[in-house]
Structures are given as C-alpha cells and as structure tokens.
Amino acid sequence: MKDVSQFDEGLDKNEANHVPLSPLSFIRRAAAVYSDRTAVISGDTQFTWQQTYARCCQLASVLKSFDIARGDTVAALLPNVPTMYEAHFGVPMVGAVLNAINIRLDPATVAFILDHSRARLLLADPEFADVVEKALGQMEGAPPIIINVPDATQGRQPPISELDYETLLAQQPETPAWALPGDEWDAIALGYTSGTTGNPKGVVTHHRGAYLNAVSNVLSWSLPARVTYLWTLPMFHCNGWCFPWTLAAIGGTSVCLRRVDPSLILQLIRQHRVSHYCGAPIVHAMIADAALAAGETFEHPVAGLIAGAPPPASVFERMEKIGVELTHVYGLTETYGPATVCPKQYDWVDQSLEERVRLNGRQGVTYPLEEDVTVLDPDTMEPVPADGQTMGEIMFRGNIVMKGYLRNPEATEKAFAGGWFHSGDLAVVEPDGYIKIRDRSKDVIISGGENISSLEVEEVVQRHPEVELAAVVAMKDEKWGEVPAAFVQLRSDSALTEEALIAFCRDKISGFKVPKTVIFGTLPTTSTGKIQKFLLRKQLDDGLSA
Amino acid sequence: MKDVSQFDEGLDKNEANHVPLSPLSFIRRAAAVYSDRTAVISGDTQFTWQQTYARCCQLASVLKSFDIARGDTVAALLPNVPTMYEAHFGVPMVGAVLNAINIRLDPATVAFILDHSRARLLLADPEFADVVEKALGQMEGAPPIIINVPDATQGRQPPISELDYETLLAQQPETPAWALPGDEWDAIALGYTSGTTGNPKGVVTHHRGAYLNAVSNVLSWSLPARVTYLWTLPMFHCNGWCFPWTLAAIGGTSVCLRRVDPSLILQLIRQHRVSHYCGAPIVHAMIADAALAAGETFEHPVAGLIAGAPPPASVFERMEKIGVELTHVYGLTETYGPATVCPKQYDWVDQSLEERVRLNGRQGVTYPLEEDVTVLDPDTMEPVPADGQTMGEIMFRGNIVMKGYLRNPEATEKAFAGGWFHSGDLAVVEPDGYIKIRDRSKDVIISGGENISSLEVEEVVQRHPEVELAAVVAMKDEKWGEVPAAFVQLRSDSALTEEALIAFCRDKISGFKVPKTVIFGTLPTTSTGKIQKFLLRKQLDDGLSA
C-alpha cells in the first residue's frame, strides 16, 4: 500500500498540468512552428506543414461524415503516398484506429484482415483494384466503405470507388475539429504480423507508445530538427517504425516513394538533399549498387537505419564507400518497430572492417525510451550470463510494447507471460552487454542433437565478397536429422562455385555448421526485404534442390 | 461517457507493456550503454557512467539507512559539484523528493524552506557552514540530518557535520537497490520560487514531467548523443532546467563548475571541448567579454541556451563573433525550466543584426513536448489576436507543468484557474505566432494612464553598444503617477552620459516611454543572473537616485 505524503495532498491532475500523450500533439505544433516549411513531397506535389495539417483535419472531418468514431477501424491499402502520411494523423484525430495493410498481400489475407479488424472504411490505391475486388468477394462480414486514393505521380487510373479522396477532402473545412484521446492508453494503430502459419495476429498499439517511440527515434539516431527523410521503408510496416510521427515532432520533410527504385532513390537524394532513410539490408544493398554503378558518392551527409537482419559485410563496406552512415536497429511489430539500437562506441572506428561488421551487426541495447530489453531463459525467466554463448529469448518490457493482440486473449497472455514480452528471437548477451540474435526459435537447425544458429552460418557465407544475400535453413538428413542448406544470391559478376563457397566456410566455422549444399539463385523476399525462409524450406521439401 | 470498443477488451496494462515514466530509467540505461564513458568531471576528478550510477545507488542506500523513504524531502545546499548531480538520481531512487536550495539565500529564508519542506536530511557544502548554522538556529521544526559534502576542488575545509558524504557512500554496496516510482505522478523535486514579497512558494514537480522535459531539451536544441555540457547554470535553479536528466538520456558528459568564473570557463571549454552550456544573458556576456579580451574564438562548435531575459544586441553580436550559437528559451520554475523556445527560421540569417536580435529575442513557441503555450486575456480567458499589439498573459497547459504549490491550495488554485497555468508574464503574439514578453504583471509602468512595458524600454536602452545591462522600473512622479527610470551598467571602457543615452532612446520610442532619469552603476542580480528590480525600486524609494 502506498503511504500518503504531503506531496500527495491537493496536488492532483487537472486540465492545466496533465494531457494524454499522443503524437497528434506533434502535428499541431509542426503546423504552428514550421508552417511554411515543406512537410510532404510526392513527385511534383509539395505540401507545407500548414497544408498537411489542414488536410489531416479535413480527413478527420471526412471520417466523421461517415460516422467513424472512437474505436472504429480505418484500413489503408496504400504505398508511401501523401494520403498514407495524412492517415497517420487524420484517423486517430477522430479516435479511430489505423490499420495499414501490406500492399503485397493476397486477396484472401486482405479479406481475413478486413474481417478481423472490422474495418469500417478502406483508403485504397487504384493499383490494387483487383486485390480489393477479390478480397471484398471473400469477406464474411460487412464490406468497408472504399475511398479511391489516386496517386498523382501515376497519371490517370480507373478509380477503385466512386468516392474520391481529394473530392471528399475539398468538401470539408480546414479548421481543426478534433480532440486528443481521452486516455493515452487508447488504441492508435493495428498492424497484422505476417505469420507463416495460421492467421495473422492483429497487434494493437496505443497513443502513449506511439508518442514515446516517435521521440525515441530522435534520440537513438541523434536526429536534428528539420531533416529530409526519404520513404524507402513502407509506412504499412509497423507504421513506418513510427517515423510519420517522428517527422512531425521535429518538423522533418517526408519525400514519398511509391516503390523501391534505386535510380529514382538516387535522384531524390540528390534533388531534395535527403539526409535520412530506413530499410532492410536489401534496400541498402540496392542503393549502394546503384550509386557505385553510377560512380556516385553523396556530397551531403546521408544516414541510414538498417533492420530486419544485420548488415552483411558487403553492404556495410559499400555503404561506407558511398558515404552513408548505417545504424543497426531491431524490433518487431509488437514493439512499434525499432526497440533496440546498436550504438557505435568510439573505439570501433579503429577496428578492421570485419570487426566493425561484427560489432555493428549486433542488435545492441535498449532503445532510448523503451524500458528494458534482456535475454532470459524462457523456462526459468532468469537472465542468461553475458558470455556471448548462452542462448535465451529476447524479451522486452516498457511503454513501447503493444497493448496486445486484437481479440486474441490466448496469444496475448502467452506473449506477456511472466511480465515480459516474448519476442521469439533467440540471442546471446556479449560481454559488453550488447545482444546478438542467434536465431528465430523456429529457424534453429538441430543437427545430431547440436543447435546450429542459421544466422551464424548466414553471416559466414555473407562474408564472401561475391555473395549478395544468403539464407540458411534446415534440410532433412537421414543421419543427422537436419543439416544446414545455404540459398545464395551472388553478385551479378560472380562465377562462384558451390565447392569454393563451402571451402570458404570450412575455414571459419565448425564442420557440422558448414552448409552441406548450396543452391544459387534469387532469394524470395517480403515487401520489407525479409527473406521468406518458409519458401526455401518448401523448395527443399519439394525436392527442387540441387 | 466513453464507449467500449474491441480495442478496450482484454488489452489492459501489465508489467510488460506499461512502466511509469521516470528519468531514473535514463541513468540505468546510460550505465549500461555508455558504461566506460565519462559522466561527470570536476577538477581532476572524473567518474564514468558506471561509477556515477553506482554512486547514485550508494546514495540511495545511504538515504535508506537514515530511513528516508517515499514522500520524504531531502534538501541540498550545494554548488554544481558531482554530489549535486548524483542527488538528482539518488534521492528519487528511494521515492524521496529533492529540494535544491539556492546557495545565495540568507539564513532566514533557508530556515523557512527547511521548515516548510519538512526536510529530513540536508546535503551541504562546507562553504555554507555559517548559513546552515544560523538557519538551523532559526528553524521552528525538527532540524534535518546534515551530511557534509566536501568539494575536492576546494582543498581541505572544516566539515559542516560529522557525517561525511564519501565515507557514508563507501559503506554501501554499489548494487542497485531501488525501484521506479509506483506512479509517474509521484513528486520528484521541490523548488522554491524567489518571490519578492511574502514567503517563497514550493513548486512540486513529478517524474512524468521531469522525464518529458529532459527529452524535450534534446528536441528543442537538436542535442546529439554524448555532448559535453558545462554547468554554468546552477543545478539548484529549476533542477538545472532538467539537464541532469537530459544528459543521462543521451550519455552526455557533465563538466562541473562551482562558480561562474569566465577565465576558468574558457579553460574548461578548451580542455574538455565543451559543446553546450546554459545561462542568463549576464553569463553569456561574461564569457564573450573574456573570450574577446583573450583574443579567443572557439575552434569547435559551441551552443548556448539563453534564458531569464532576451539576449541584448551587444551579447548577441559578441557571441556571434566568438562563434557561439545562441538559442533563446523561456520558462518558469513551475514549468520545469524552459517551456518555450525561439526556433530560428531559415530566412532569419539574411536579416540585419538588429532584426536578428529582435527575432531571436522573442520567447517563441511551445517547447517540443509541452502541450501548449498561449497568450490569453486573463479576464475572459480568450486568446489575444496575433497582432503584436494586444497584451495578455502567457499561459501554459501540458505535462510539463508542476503538480502545484506544496501545502498552498489557494496559490495552486489561483495558478491553475480556468484550466491553464498562469505565468504572470504579459506578452503579445506576433503575426508569425511567436510570443513576445512585454512585462511581468508587476513590472508594468503606468504613466498618465498608459501602460509602458519596462522590457520594451530596456531593450531600446540595451541597443546602445556601450550598455552592458539595463533595467527600467517605475519611479513615482507627481504629474504622471509613474515614469520610467533606467538603471544602467556600462561596459568598462564607456564614458556615456545620461543626456546622450536619453537622446539615443528618444529617436527610437515614443516620448512618454523614454527614461526620465538614468542611474549608472553595477546592477544587483540573483545567482541566476536575473536583475533584482525590487532592489532598484527600493533604491528609488529611499531617494538614493540621482
């Protein structure tokens, strides 16, 4: 029980000294402070902060006109266009919850999500007319209202609905008619995880966490005010790691990007003096290759956040060559995107490239405003020793952890067992306290009773300078149960052979960890650049391997 | 009433996803992430983050050994020494409230504060033995336990108590034995405002606000990780504007400074490559003068926050000359220090010096994580038009506003009347939305029925290049009721006359605003550099004027 002290008497919360934390406060301030500065650029279109704020307020009024209110779901099937940015503010302005859907999903999954989220309204890009039509046909519940969101950079396209975004917006006054949430614990967004088995789970996040991680991005990346940010990362992925809100907090400019097109990216970086962008290793690799092919290095400082997998040596080296400073972060949809960062210590610059790659390839330490990340034995919930050897599960605790899974109490309870959020990623703690992922629980290869980290093997394979990307999965083996099989995407000018690559690995890791087979080809990745290992496993099961 | 939606069901707070906001989280993370980096420097003494964290934990254990617990007050009468930094963490670690007392106060006021705060323990520097002894003699309640905190930079001094800080610390284990507060609304600090009449009021702040303003400093000043910060600003002043906590959040190094000594400041800036510091205009003026006299400009970027009064033209110009970038902020003890900032717009650099001084001399806009600052007519509570003319009172609302005044419900209620915190400062809103203070309510000069802003007159006087500091107060006048009288501190080499200065002003403002008399001399300032106008008024009342 809490003792009452003199500091508890007559010192209550009131309207003047307590306000719910919400990223909506950021855009109101941005409109006032950075009013005439550019907020959003998309092709030839530019909006100032005042205009973007007005458009968000108009979107809120449009939603109100459709009777969308607190607790309703508004879905978006949009690439990185201005409307997607506006939806991150306009939707929560009426207390509704934004469900940004991955634009690469198949109609059946989109139908499942629209049903499960109980979406009342869908903002959709006409490119996805076919997917939307099929998804609506497969839905069990009431279909959402569809609003057509044309992208001016794509020219005229047949609309997906008679309701047109710009027309609806123009009918509404620009004056703010919204309020902060009554409670900072109110939901702000819903994001479905791309599970490989079973139905996706709906991760519910809240205003407090969105506010705090938006600010946490500023601290972890030392972001100055008014940066120019290129949207290489899809906003439908963990709400763009909270960067729509981060950019409002610091008056940063968003440069929209419909798809990852390396030559367009180079052009936009030059044209708008882009200083920051985020992405999976493959995105950085594509930018580096394009820049090197064009003989280009950036004249102004450019910084990239990298997540999804540690930066391979080849990417790390190439980014240094073209003058991009990489920072490695790690997180999950359940942690609002990044929830750890690998801060560079001063003495790392003196290390060899190989050592720098190793040091920066670690998941690192707690994100600035996350409370705690640790590696626990999931059975005993005891921390593993910081010996770089003992594996445990990465667990998070803090204000940047989801509310839970939507209408899924079993999964929610399991995720929060023991008062920690269970990431499902297996890791060690190195002596300097930095966390290093060894594997996803489900990706561990068990060979002759020994656990092999598929990531450890991948990193060795990726150290070969001719390897572009690599994935290592378990292959069934009569003698050992499982053995590692490597799927390798080579750089275009390479003629590397299986034998040479296996010999290369044999020098660097224990024999039982060396891939027993190497399959060359293009690796299947998700829209966010993650390698789809389940497809590789299927390929092995189907006997399509070498 | 709040509707219940699917997002409210089964998605409650738990240990994994909700943690009280507290700046104590920052030092725990700093100890882990920046462990071997220097946290605190004082003379030849240096502590790493791990050591500083260990010392804070030891301080918490010392306090526990004296039975100090939640809701107890721990007072500190300390200059900017390492212990003062440690007290900002060690005291709240046990749930106690830190009351940092201004070291320039007289024994009667110190006695009043110790009584009113019900201080259980006092950390005191031996320099103030005399004040402490007299204050204890004048107290009505039980005297606090006194702990002697010697400053190694001062050599041996007779101790103020047999209880020695370092000895007590050494008796405690370095292992953390503390917890976050049960509620982020719990009090973290108590600061007494230096009222000119009546007893000082005790401003109570909370963990949530301290956390948010600590981070807000990072955003408003675009502070990168691991800056080196010089403690020109006393930590007893609004808890050093929350910078003890800010520096822990970004792993910044604190360089302690016992007193404002310009040549030592220059030496420390050079020696430790100090990048940031804060202070009142007089502090900046002293640094500029010393640097110019020594023919010194800083080789590395140095940034200064300036508050307490707008930067006079002479200071602004001199800081530009020596290469210090000034940012103007404004706030009160009740708002945890800075709560507005004057962000520089890009086109300001093209303006004349005079115009830049005018633009940067405004109090500006809401601090990044404060919710709102506005100028309201205190009678109607309606916003004044943004015309640069209509005066109203600056009012704040948000999470960076105090809990209230300790055991003073009347003052608390009055301060929060109408759902806004009333600052007592009168201001206008300029057409670009920036706020400009015209005066403290009590400093307005009423001459022939016209209100004269003493600040407006001061700024005109201060535009004269030979004026170092100026203060304008009301002087009784038989005909007009009141007229402006100027107290002026000239630069050392100046021979400016009263007539010349009055003529200088006459060109620039309406006749009735021109000072009727000018008194030359050194101006009395508080330890934080604020001019003590009540002493000037007293001087006039006593007939000591020209």
Side-chain angles (χ1 to χ4, degrees), chain A residues 262-296:
Chain A
S263 69
L264 177 59
I265 290 174
L266 293 187
Q267 181 205 313
L268 292 172
I269 292 178
R270 261 197 314 270
Q271 184 182 349
H272 300 297
R273 289 184 68 83
V274 167
S275 55
H276 292 78
Y277 72 95
C278 300
I282 186 69
V283 172
H284 296 280
M286 284 166 70
I287 293 174
D289 277 348
L292 289 172
E296 179 150 25

Side-chain angles (χ1 to χ4, degrees), chain A residues 374-385 391-393 395 420:
Chain A
T374 187
V375 178
L376 304 180
D377 179 319
D379 296 324
T380 63
M381 293 301 275
E382 288 296 317
V384 302
M391 272 214 258
E393 184 174 355
M395 305 216 190
W420 289 88

